[in-house]
């Protein structure tokens, strides 16, 4: 048996899955950081691999960008492949002026504007929250690795491009630290379907100051984030 968008057989995906948006990131990490990685999904080029990290079995699956795409993979990973832990690894834009590029964020909770999320709750507002065990473990792992993290609330949006004036001011004022496009639906679905979830993010740009990171900064930050996520697995 397999699912609609993943061609793996049940059992070929580990209990813990790292979920980058970019399928080529999944391929890169599998080929460079995992041992004995085997590709289990090529449907739509949304690559997924299972291998081991320090002897522990782990999978890494591309999700695509946005909540529409990532929700499909989260649903299928949990419902069909009985995945227990999903750790998103991705980038975000910071919306506090003193958060620097390359900083690693642990997303405690995710507000957002997702239509899918609102539909589940009849227009009421659910506080989509990370799993505390994963959050605490990630925090301690980062400390041991001497990687500085910021813990806080983020915002997941359906629209990367928009023309709403001063859109982020109200969220900045309420302490939101970063904006990305997947975590709110990940947290909601994980809770709904009985799995644990956490997003570990690196800051690729700062929306308040207009800074954007270069390729080299992004590479270093990505490796810090991946180390935390892989140790967590
Ligand atoms: N907006 C939304 N998603 C993002 C951003 C952003 O500025 N940066 C990285 N992911």
């Amino acid at each position: 048996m397999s699912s609609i968008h993943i061609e793996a057989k049940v059992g070929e995906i580990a209990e813990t899955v790292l979920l980058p948006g970019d399928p080529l990131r999944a391929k890169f990490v599998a080929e460079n950081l995992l041992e004995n990685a085997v590709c289990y999904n090529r449907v739509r080029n949304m690559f997924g691999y299972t291998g081991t990290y320090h002897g522990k079995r782990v999978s890494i699956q591309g999700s695509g960008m946005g909540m529409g795409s990532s929700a499909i993979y989260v649903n299928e990973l949990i419902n069909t492949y009985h995945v227990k832990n999903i750790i998103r690894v991705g980038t975000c834009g910071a919306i506090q002026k003193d958060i620097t590029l390359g900083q690693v964020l642990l997303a405690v909770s995710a507000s957002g504007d997702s239509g899918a999320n609102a539909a589940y709750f009849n227009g009421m507002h659910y506080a989509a929250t990370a799993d505390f065990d994963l959050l605490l473990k990630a925090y301690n792992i980062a400390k041991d690795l001497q990687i500085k993290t910021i813990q806080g609330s983020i915002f997941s949006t359906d629209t990367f491009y928009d023309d709403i004036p001063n859109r982020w001011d109200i969220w900045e004022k309420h302490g939101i630290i970063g904006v990305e496009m997947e975590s709110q639906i990940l947290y909601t679905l994980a809770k709904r379907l009985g799995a644990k979830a956490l997003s570990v993010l690196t800051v690729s740009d700062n929306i308040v100051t207009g800074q954007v990171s270069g390729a080299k900064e992004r590479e270093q930050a990505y490796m810090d984030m991946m180390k935390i996520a892989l140790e967590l697995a």
Side-chain angles (χ1 to χ4, degrees), residues 39-161:
C39 183
Y40 63 72
N41 191 53
R42 290 191 175 81
V43 176
R44 290 174 184 255
N45 283 334
M46 200 61 88
F47 303 122
Y49 292 80
T50 298
T52 59
Y53 184 74
H54 294 168
K56 287 203 84 176
R57 193 163 179 259
V58 62
S59 296
I60 184 161
Q61 168 69 54
S63 71
M65 289 179 282
M67 287 180 271
S69 180
S70 55
I72 288 172
Y73 294 94
V74 172
N75 263 293
E76 294 182 14
L77 287 169
I78 301 172
N79 283 337
T80 304
Y81 297 97
H82 315 301
V83 167
K84 299 280 183 275
N85 307 295
I86 300 181
I87 302 155
R88 164 163 155 70
V89 281
T91 57
C92 68
I95 56 168
Q96 300 286 336
K97 65 178 182 321
D98 51 353
I99 297 182
T100 52
L101 303 183
Q103 174 72 56
V104 179
L105 309 182
L106 302 179
V108 175
S109 63
S111 300
D113 58 17
S114 153
N117 208 68
Y120 282 136
F121 298 100
N122 251 335
M124 288 177 279
H125 306 284
Y126 175 69
T129 309
D131 177 78
F132 184 71
D133 286 343
L134 287 180
L135 180 63
L136 184 61
K137 276 190 196 143
Y139 176 77
N140 286 324
I141 288 165
K143 252 186 162 173
D144 289 346
L145 293 172
Q146 298 187 319
I147 298 167
K148 185 173 165 271
T149 56
I150 297 177
Q151 293 60 240
S153 295
I154 62 160
F155 188 100
S156 303
T157 181
D158 279 343
T159 50
F160 187 89
Y161 297 106

